[in-house]
Amino acid sequence: MKKIKALLNINEITFSVVILLLVTISIPTELILRLTSPAIVSTKGVPCVYDAFIVISLYSVWLYILAFILFYILYIEKYQLNPVLILRKRTIKKVWKDVLSDLLVMDLLFSLYITIVTVAAGFLMTGIMCNWEKRESRAYRFSGNVIENPPNIALIIITFFVIVFTLIFVAGSIMLYLWWITNWQWAGFVAAIVIISTENALKTGFLWIVYRLSDKVYINGIDIGWQIIYPTVLCIGVYILTMLTICRKDFLK
């Protein structure tokens, strides 16, 4: 808790509240536009909370939320990489380890918050946790079949959390690593946003294929190996790879 409080205070409480409000507002707004409006319900079926996970994963996280969070993390690390603070640390590896530690803490916080808001907003706006076994559902409209064995609530929540966490961690690692090696604060942020925006526009790419819940869940269900275990291993791999390849940096530039 002390670590979280310290990181939140770096950007001042007002900035932290603004970011949380933007995240909070974007989720129900997206659900209204793509899930619960009468026009959408009449054409795509009656939604439930499970459908909210798919919509938020496909749209809000990619289009808005990730940019807000990366911007927030960037300013935390702008303070943490201050030369005065750097001089107190023993090795360059320790500096980078602390950078990734900050990213990890913020990622956990935001991923948990996004998951909670999605569950709450989804239930308040649909009143149904899962209706995939009914003919009026979105799942039936998409697949043409009644889903007799939908994923249990714990599994789909964990999958959603892991997907959001992995996307933030990988994009955040790209952002911080490029800033480190280029000495340009905005290089990584711009690169991460360009990658995300391009893949979102093209509906293809490495991140787009892996880090989202798609409509294919209606047909294929949750793939634990691909959607939970693999992203977890990938995060560990990114952490180790950056630790091994990080180079010296002139913090006075």
Side-chain angles (χ1 to χ4, degrees), residues 1-249:
M1 287 302 295
K2 289 182 178 180
K3 176 77 169 179
I4 294 174
K5 184 177 180 180
L7 291 174
L8 292 176
N9 286 338
I10 289 173
N11 280 337
E12 298 183 357
I13 190 63
T14 301
F15 187 28
S16 300
V17 169
V18 168
I19 294 297
L20 289 176
L21 283 176
L22 287 173
V23 172
T24 306
I25 292 170
S26 70
I27 290 175
T29 300
E30 201 68 51
L31 294 181
I32 292 172
L33 293 175
R34 301 183 187 272
L35 195 68
T36 62
S37 67
I40 295 295
V41 173
S42 64
T43 58
K44 295 189 175 182
V46 178
C48 64
V49 175
Y50 279 29
D51 300 313
F53 287 124
I54 295 173
V55 168
I56 298 305
S57 174
L58 280 173
Y59 300 105
S60 280
V61 175
W62 280 80
L63 294 176
Y64 318 110
I65 293 176
L66 182 61
F68 299 153
I69 294 172
L70 292 182
F71 184 76
Y72 186 85
I73 293 172
L74 183 69
Y75 270 81
I76 285 180
E77 294 314 308
K78 182 180 179 181
Y79 172 81
Q80 297 289 69
L81 294 179
N82 185 296
V84 175
L85 296 178
I86 296 299
L87 291 173
R88 301 177 184 175
K89 299 177 182 179
R90 293 174 294 178
T91 65
I92 201 71
K93 297 291 186 183
K94 179 65 168 62
V95 176
W96 181 249
K97 185 178 180 180
D98 288 346
V99 167
L100 290 184
S101 175
D102 293 344
L103 172 62
L104 179 63
V105 171
M106 289 293 95
D107 191 358
L108 285 169
L109 178 64
F110 280 113
S111 297
L112 181 60
Y113 186 74
I114 291 166
T115 302
I116 292 172
V117 174
T118 300
V119 172
F123 190 76
L124 287 173
M125 298 174 73
T126 67
I128 308 168
M129 190 58 68
C130 179
N131 66 352
W132 289 6
E133 74 281 5
K134 298 181 179 180
R135 290 181 175 272
E136 67 268 20
S137 68
R138 284 173 66 96
Y140 182 83
R141 292 285 182 92
F142 180 85
S143 66
N145 296 298
V146 171
I147 312 299
E148 296 182 355
N149 296 301
N152 64 60
I153 183 63
L155 179 59
I156 198 165
I157 287 176
I158 291 171
T159 303
F160 178 81
F161 175 86
V162 169
I163 286 173
V164 173
F165 177 89
T166 305
L167 180 60
I168 295 172
F169 186 81
V170 172
S173 296
I174 291 172
M175 176 183 73
L176 296 172
Y177 192 81
L178 287 178
W179 175 17
W180 185 286
I181 64 177
T182 63
N183 279 319
W184 182 36
Q185 177 185 345
W186 292 98
F189 180 83
V190 172
I193 296 301
V194 168
I195 291 170
I196 295 299
S197 299
T198 301
E199 291 197 0
N200 185 67
L202 297 176
K203 300 294 186 287
T204 188
F206 178 70
L207 295 176
W208 175 261
I209 291 172
V210 178
Y211 308 127
R212 64 191 180 97
L213 275 175
S214 73
D215 296 332
K216 292 182 180 179
V217 172
Y218 295 135
I219 300 172
N220 302 327
I222 301 293
D223 186 330
I224 295 176
W226 185 247
Q227 294 177 303
I228 296 179
I229 297 176
Y230 172 72
T232 302
V233 172
L234 182 62
C235 287
I236 296 172
V238 168
Y239 180 90
I240 294 173
L241 181 63
T242 57
M243 284 295 294
L244 292 176
T245 61
I246 205 67
C247 57
R248 289 185 176 276
K249 173 180 170 68

